Amino acid sequence: MAEAHDTHESEQRGAWGVLAILTSINLLNYIDRFVFPAVSESIKRSALAPTDTQIGLGSTAFLAVYLIAAPFFGAVGDRSQRMRWVAGGIFLWSAATALGGFARTMPELIGARSLVGIGEAAYSAIGPAILADYFTEKTRGRAFAIFFAAAPVGAALGYGIGGFVDFHWGWRQAFFVTGVPGMLVGWML
């Protein structure tokens, strides 16, 4: 009986470890999502000289692509190789965030933001399914509450980090600073 108890305890520790990793990644998810609005005023004053409509298209493109891609990834996530899809999504959204720093035109920046939507749709659709595999119905609510608490914290950090880096080094560097960590995480998974 003691052996079964030890196995259960070990499984619980593993589940909470998975939760910590996925929540940290979700934090990166929201940081990358909100760095664009944080630096949009500087982009408007840059050589790109976008209109308010073009700035709005940057966010709209992200959301539209995310909306279209999420059901696909939800279906794929129900089949197999979830971690590969998650790792690919993390790498894609992070690389696309960093690519935004290289944009020479607004269509390039809007395209990069669209790619962020694809990557984030992969993670947002599959990440919670992975968590559901590790937690029983009794503990799943608490796990999801922790996982989704990363959304407002990551949004605030996206604005804070984006604004800080933009103020000191420019809007392009804000995309690099927020995008590169996720690329490393996606590559390591």
Side-chain angles (χ1 to χ4, degrees):
M1 193 68 163
E3 189 174 306
H5 178 69
D6 289 344
T7 301
H8 179 70
E9 245 181 60
S10 176
E11 287 174 1
Q12 281 186 330
R13 278 194 305 271
W16 290 103
V18 169
L19 173 62
I21 291 167
L22 292 178
T23 301
S24 299
I25 293 168
N26 207 28
L27 190 70
L28 292 175
N29 177 351
Y30 281 88
I31 290 170
D32 284 3
R33 186 179 298 189
F34 283 93
V35 71
F36 177 72
V39 301
S40 63
E41 287 301 315
S42 292
I43 293 170
K44 285 169 58 174
R45 292 188 303 271
S46 75
L48 298 182
T51 63
D52 287 339
T53 301
Q54 289 175 313
I55 289 292
L57 282 174
S59 294
T60 302
F62 162 82
L63 290 171
V65 170
Y66 182 97
L67 176 70
I68 293 165
F72 167 78
F73 289 113
V76 168
D78 282 340
R79 292 192 180 96
S80 65
Q81 298 182 335
R82 285 180 175 165
M83 287 309 295
R84 281 191 180 185
W85 286 102
V86 164
I90 295 165
F91 188 84
L92 177 61
W93 98 56
S94 300
T97 297
L99 282 174
F102 291 111
R104 293 167 300 173
T105 65
M106 272 312 287
E108 287 177 3
L109 184 54
I110 292 168
R113 296 310 294 169
S114 297
L115 290 175
V116 172
I118 294 171
E120 288 195 15
Y123 183 73
S124 296
I126 300 171
I130 293 170
L131 278 182
D133 289 344
Y134 280 87
F135 288 90
T136 65
E137 285 185 36
K138 183 178 176 184
T139 58
R140 199 172 291 152
R142 187 175 352 170
F144 282 135
I146 293 167
F147 177 78
F148 287 113
V153 174
L157 286 172
Y159 274 102
I161 294 167
F164 179 83
V165 174
D166 179 22
F167 179 78
H168 291 285
W169 299 285
W171 66 268
R172 292 181 185 278
Q173 286 70 21
F175 285 120
F176 303 143
V177 166
T178 58
V180 170
M183 290 172 61
L184 296 173
V185 169
W187 186 260
M188 290 187 309
L189 287 178

